Amino acid sequence: IAQQFLDRINRDLGRMTRIVEELLDLSRLETGEVRLNLRGIPVQKPIQEAVELYREQALAQGVTLFDFQEAHLPYVEVDESRLQQVLCNLLENAIKFTPSGGKVWFAVTAQDEELIVSVNDTGVGISAEHLPHAFERFYRADREANGVGIGLGLAIAKHIVQAHGGRIWAKSR
C-alpha cells in the first residue's frame, strides 16, 4: 500500500510540475519574454518527430493516426523546438478528445509563403458557443472531462504561432 501511495504522489507531482512549467511558459510568451531561436530548417524533421511521439498514444487509445506531408515542403525559418511544441499540442488535443475507434488526420502543406498545418479528428467537436474561446488560457469546453488538462496547450500554441507571424484557428461542425 505504501508503494502505491508513493507512486500516486510521484504521478501527481509530475502533473503539477508540468502545469507550473506550462504556466511559466505561457506567461513568458504573453509578455514577449521568449526569444525565438529562428533558423532555416527542413520542416519535415520536427513534423515527423511530433507524429512519431503521438503515434503510440493514439494506438494505446484505439485511435488511428493518419499523417500526410507534401513531398517537397520548403525550408522554413522557425524556432524548431517551439514548432514541435505547437505540433505536439495540436496532436495531443486531437487524440485526447477522439474516442476509441476514431481517427485523427494530420496534414502539412505549403501554399505561397505559408506552411499550413491542419489537424482533423472524429471527436465530438466544440460547440459554436465555445469555439471563440478555444485558444484562451484555462479554457476547457468540456469542464466535465476529469484529468485531461487545464486548458493551457492551445493558448501556448496560439502565442507561439503568433510569435512566428502566423495564424491559428479552429473550426467544428
Side-chain angles (χ1 to χ4, degrees):
I1 293 178
Q3 186 60 47
Q4 290 174 336
F5 186 66
L6 290 173
D7 289 345
R8 173 68 188 240
I9 289 172
N10 193 38
R11 272 192 316 273
D12 289 347
L13 181 61
R15 182 174 179 266
M16 295 297 285
T17 300
R18 181 176 174 207
I19 290 169
V20 170
E21 287 171 353
E22 286 180 346
L23 280 168
L24 287 170
D25 200 24
L26 181 58
S27 176
R28 289 183 190 119
L29 284 161
E30 287 179 336
T31 60
E33 289 180 41
V34 171
R35 299 286 175 242
L36 297 178
N37 181 20
L38 298 176
R39 58 189 183 92
I41 63 162
V43 75
Q44 287 90 345
K45 180 181 173 246
I47 292 168
Q48 200 55 45
E49 287 174 359
V51 169
E52 290 310 312
L53 273 170
Y54 285 92
R55 192 171 299 285
E56 276 188 43
Q57 180 182 332
L59 200 61
Q61 278 188 225
V63 172
T64 304
L65 174 59
F66 298 97
D67 69 289
F68 167 79
Q69 294 107 48
E70 281 184 355
H72 301 289
L73 289 172
Y75 271 65
V76 291
E77 191 166 310
V78 296
D79 182 318
E80 185 174 358
S81 67
R82 293 297 182 167
L83 172 62
Q84 190 166 31
Q85 187 177 7
V86 170
L87 300 174
C88 288
N89 282 346
L90 296 175
L91 280 167
E92 181 178 23
N93 266 22
I95 293 165
K96 187 187 316 183
F97 293 105
T98 299
S100 182
K103 296 174 178 58
V104 171
W105 293 271
F106 177 78
V108 182
T109 58
Q111 184 176 9
D112 300 324
E113 298 293 314
E114 291 186 316
L115 190 65
I116 300 167
V117 176
S118 64
V119 181
N120 296 288
D121 61 63
T122 58
V124 295
I126 303 172
S127 68
E129 69 198 52
H130 294 289
L131 205 52
H133 308 287
F135 295 96
E136 293 176 8
R137 64 160 71 185
F138 302 118
Y139 194 81
R140 290 176 42 204
D142 183 0
R143 299 269 177 212
E144 302 303 313
N146 294 324
V148 292
I150 61 167
L152 294 176
L154 290 180
I156 290 170
K158 177 185 92 171
H159 285 284
I160 293 171
V161 168
Q162 289 175 340
H164 281 86
R167 301 170 289 137
I168 189 167
W169 65 91
K171 294 187 225 176
S172 186
R173 286 187 229 159

